[in-house]
Amino acid sequence: MKEIIVASTNSGKIREIKAMLDQIGIEVKSVKDVLGYNPDIEETGTTFVENALIKAETVMKLVNRPVLADDSGLEVDALDRKPGIYSSRWMGEDTSYDIKNQKIIDLVNASGKPRTARFICAMALCEPGQKPITIEESFEGEIYDHIAGENGFGYDPIFYFPPLHKTSAEMSMEEKNEHSHRAKALKKLYKILKEKD
């Protein structure tokens, strides 16, 4: 496999996937690069894996090439694992992450419950005529008491990783590629792709 189309409009996500798959000579293109537009895909699944499969299968049918989709989000234990699969839509898709992040900090502070949280990443790789491959990985940490860091997107600035004493948004790309949910899922995918070739 020399090329994978990523079924995502999130530039941060595409950048992280590209950084990992470049190393094994797989060219990564976004769905917009190939189609010229971003298809509107309704995520009707009840789990991260189901939503990743819906995205990958829908785009694969449009481009007839291998497609990788990722569905990821933040689970906060004090909030009954919310926002979960609704992470990007939580409080409205047009609400800035500064507002969403502060709201989570406020809710966790008010709850008096443990601050434990995790990022989940589910990936689905669909190839024409092949059985889909699905992977799910997590990145365990906690909700920080303030917003910190510039090197991330989404909920990265409030997700604190105790072993490195920094938020996900304060981590370098190298650190992220070692510890993050997406990096772990991509490493599994990398292994599967190497065995397939």
Side-chain angles (χ1 to χ4, degrees):
M1 192 181 305
K2 294 283 167 271
E3 180 187 83
I4 283 178
I5 314 302
V6 179
S8 177
T9 57
N10 184 317
S11 58
K13 209 178 263 193
I14 293 164
R15 196 166 50 248
E16 286 184 16
I17 292 170
K18 205 173 166 53
M20 287 292 288
L21 294 187
D22 269 356
Q23 300 169 37
I24 54 170
I26 293 176
E27 191 182 350
V28 172
K29 288 184 176 171
S30 76
V31 63
K32 194 174 181 183
D33 291 338
V34 177
L35 291 176
Y37 68 97
N38 290 313
D40 195 18
I41 301 166
E42 204 180 336
E43 294 176 29
T44 53
T46 57
T47 65
F48 290 109
V49 168
E50 283 176 14
N51 281 334
L53 269 170
I54 289 166
K55 289 188 271 193
E57 284 173 345
T58 304
V59 174
M60 182 194 70
K61 285 172 187 162
L62 292 171
V63 299
N64 201 35
R65 288 190 247 172
V67 173
L68 177 67
D70 150 312
D71 196 56
S72 49
L74 178 69
E75 292 184 345
V76 181
D77 292 331
L79 310 180
D80 300 320
R81 298 198 163 195
K82 290 185 181 76
I85 60 168
Y86 304 107
S87 290
S88 65
R89 291 167 273 172
W90 189 66
M91 291 182 69
E93 287 198 43
D94 296 330
T95 305
S96 82
Y97 275 97
D98 285 345
I99 293 168
K100 293 182 188 188
N101 284 331
Q102 192 57 55
K103 181 72 173 173
I104 288 177
I105 291 169
D106 294 344
L107 289 170
V108 171
N109 286 347
S111 76
K113 293 178 181 172
R115 306 185 77 84
T116 50
R118 72 207 48 81
F119 276 125
I120 302 282
C121 173
M123 285 193 169
L125 177 65
C126 291
E127 277 186 85
Q130 305 274 325
K131 195 167 170 273
I133 293 165
T134 59
I135 296 159
E136 188 173 85
E137 281 291 342
S138 67
F139 179 24
E140 299 288 334
E142 52 196 56
I143 299 304
Y144 207 29
D145 59 3
H146 64 278
I147 292 167
E150 306 286 328
N151 301 338
F153 57 92
Y155 299 104
D156 284 347
I158 60 164
F159 184 80
Y160 183 73
F161 185 54
L164 292 180
H165 308 291
K166 52 176 83 169
T167 68
S168 184
E170 293 173 307
M171 290 166 70
S172 67
M173 188 59 89
E174 291 71 34
E175 287 168 333
K176 267 195 166 181
N177 283 345
E178 182 142 347
H179 301 287
S180 85
H181 51 311
R182 191 164 297 112
K184 288 181 197 166
L186 278 167
K187 279 174 190 161
K188 266 196 186 166
L189 178 71
Y190 169 65
K191 213 173 157 196
I192 291 164
L193 292 176
K194 270 186 94 171
E195 284 165 9
K196 276 181 72 152
D197 277 354

